[in-house]
Amino acid sequence: NPPSYTLNGHMYTLIGIYDWANVSSDKKIGEEAKYYFNQGLETLRYILPYYDIGGFVTYDLGYLTKSGIKPTVNLNYYGTHITLLDALYRITGDKTFEDYSNLWISYVKKY
């Protein structure tokens, strides 16, 4: 407490909600899931810039929500973040996700 807003957790959740919206046999539940998927996408578009800390990607936003915490950079998650952004781009066609994926790939290529 307070929450740290883990990036891959948010994106995995969105993909799960997308699946839920598309497999539900109950139309009302499917529409509700679609609504929450779209709300989650809107949130992701808004918060993505906060994960980019200039040449690196932070694992979560704890550095913003918890006093005195430095950004958590975990290179093991770069591939996960990029793969999830690519999946969301393929699902939505939203160029924002493709742009961040390409940007973060460029960070990896530096090393």
Side-chain angles (χ1 to χ4, degrees):
N1 227 0
S4 60
Y5 302 104
T6 303
L7 178 57
N8 62 293
H10 186 87
M11 292 191 286
Y12 275 124
T13 300
L14 285 175
I15 291 170
I17 294 171
Y18 172 80
D19 288 344
W20 183 29
N22 287 290
V23 300
S24 178
S25 59
D26 183 322
K27 185 174 177 157
K28 182 179 176 189
I29 290 173
E31 289 300 317
E32 187 174 359
K34 191 177 291 187
Y35 168 80
Y36 286 115
F37 175 70
N38 288 324
Q39 292 296 111
L41 289 174
E42 189 174 318
T43 298
L44 183 60
R45 277 186 222 96
Y46 179 79
I47 64 175
L48 271 174
Y50 295 102
Y51 291 94
D52 189 308
I53 54 173
F56 292 96
V57 179
T58 185
Y59 174 76
D60 60 26
L61 298 181
Y63 78 100
L64 294 174
T65 63
K66 299 174 184 177
S67 178
I69 300 291
K70 292 185 180 187
T72 303
V73 176
N74 187 330
L75 299 178
N76 294 323
Y77 279 92
Y78 268 62
T80 301
H81 293 153
I82 290 165
T83 299
L84 290 168
L85 285 169
D86 183 57
L88 290 168
Y89 170 66
R90 290 172 187 267
I91 290 168
T92 66
D94 187 326
K95 190 135 172 55
T96 301
F97 305 130
E98 181 183 46
D99 291 345
Y100 271 96
S101 176
N102 289 334
L103 176 63
W104 294 351
I105 288 169
S106 78
Y107 295 166
V108 173
K109 286 183 177 180
K110 289 180 186 177
Y111 302 98

